[in-house]
Amino acid sequence: GAVVSQHPSRVICKSGTSVKIECRSLDFQATTMFWYRQFPKQSLMLMATSNEGSKATYEQGVEKDKFLINHASLTLSTLTVTSAHPEDSSFYICSAPPAAGRYNEQFFGPGTRLTVL
Amino acid sequence: KQEVTQIPAALSVPEGENLVLNCSFTDSAIYNLQWFRQDPGKGLTSLLLIQSSQREQTSGRLNASLDKSSGRSTLYIAASQPGDSATYLCAVAANQAGTALIFGKGTTLSVSS
């Protein structure tokens, strides 16, 4: 099956710093990638849709200036949490659908645990 | 707006029991439905994918059914084992390819030996 990687798997940072999370599709190209966020004991909520070569689209309530998304190539999308605060502490996970014809099964990265002190 | 609900929120069973996890969704216009497993602090493992035209899918001790018209899916786990302990998430894709998934809150399963 298709493989999606994320880096780093875990990051601890001080309040006010910026953190970059990478999402890579290892064996397929992804023109679209999705970023989700999961708070403790909650389900995954879509934050934004990352589109290769164009601007990301954000879900209602997600600050686009705080969560910067760059999808510079067909295999890499990055999420930068700018000026992180403790309330941004969460589990961030990306996914990518393979090309059409593979039943649109979503493949997820292993996630990144962000802790902001 | 599509909403996905999973019942029960938590379930504890002794080893060997057969069990059913339930998932319901409010908008029947889905492209597919996927069941995932999530271990504590970990990412998602895809278990079963059911296309909107399908009624069920099976993988080993797992069987997932889909009744799109009534907005329901069930995940049946046969002969449960302690290693099945995890949170099970149900997610639906909207009515076209390449869309994001909408997740339920999950059912946390604990199987005791």
Side-chain angles (χ1 to χ4, degrees):
Chain A
V3 179
V4 175
S5 70
Q6 268 185 255
H7 178 81
S9 60
R10 185 180 297 269
V11 58
I12 301 173
C13 68
K14 293 182 179 180
S15 184
T17 60
S18 294
V19 175
K20 180 185 284 188
I21 303 170
E22 294 185 348
C23 177
R24 293 181 184 272
S25 56
L26 298 185
D27 53 0
F28 66 98
Q29 294 183 333
T31 56
T32 300
M33 290 184 177
F34 302 107
W35 287 95
Y36 297 83
R37 178 168 56 183
Q38 184 180 36
F39 291 109
K41 298 193 182 299
Q42 298 295 314
S43 191
L44 280 79
M45 296 296 292
L46 179 67
M47 295 177 64
T49 301
S50 174
N51 303 297
E52 189 269 335
S54 65
K55 291 183 178 180
T57 56
Y58 292 81
E59 295 300 299
Q60 189 174 7
V62 178
E63 300 174 57
K64 63 179 181 180
D65 294 330
K66 181 172 183 62
F67 298 98
L68 302 179
I69 291 174
N70 184 289
H71 195 148
S73 77
L74 289 173
T75 59
L76 174 64
S77 174
T78 60
L79 168 68
T80 301
V81 184
T82 62
S83 186
H85 291 287
E87 58 265 30
D88 299 322
S89 298
S90 187
F91 187 65
Y92 293 85
I93 191 166
C94 67
S95 76
R102 294 183 61 176
Y103 299 106
N104 195 39
E105 183 174 358
Q106 295 274 350
F107 293 96
F108 283 78
T112 296
R113 175 76 57 190
L114 171 63
T115 302
V116 185
L117 303 176
Chain B
K1 179 183 176 182
Q2 179 74 272
E3 292 184 1
V4 180
T5 303
Q6 290 187 246
I7 295 173
L11 182 62
S12 294
V13 300
E15 181 177 7
E17 273 204 10
N18 302 324
L19 55 101
V20 174
L21 308 181
N22 298 291
C23 172
S24 62
F25 45 95
T26 55
D27 187 346
S28 61
I30 64 170
Y31 190 75
N32 60 39
L33 183 146
Q34 215 166 333
W35 283 93
F36 295 89
R37 168 184 172 139
Q38 185 176 30
D39 292 287
K42 303 294 184 181
L44 303 182
T45 300
S46 178
L47 298 174
L48 290 164
L49 169 73
I50 310 177
Q51 290 298 110
S52 61
S53 59
Q54 297 175 325
R55 297 283 293 180
E56 66 177 333
Q57 284 286 333
T58 298
S59 176
R61 294 182 293 108
L62 306 179
N63 175 278
S65 67
L66 173 64
D67 184 343
K68 200 173 92 165
S69 61
S70 67
R72 294 180 181 181
S73 176
T74 61
L75 178 66
Y76 175 82
I77 302 177
S80 58
Q81 303 171 357
D84 295 330
S85 299
T87 296
Y88 291 81
L89 297 170
C90 167
V92 298
N95 59 355
Q96 62 182 10
T99 57
L101 297 183
I102 300 169
F103 285 84
K105 290 186 176 182
T107 294
T108 299
L109 173 65
S110 176
V111 182
S112 57
S113 56

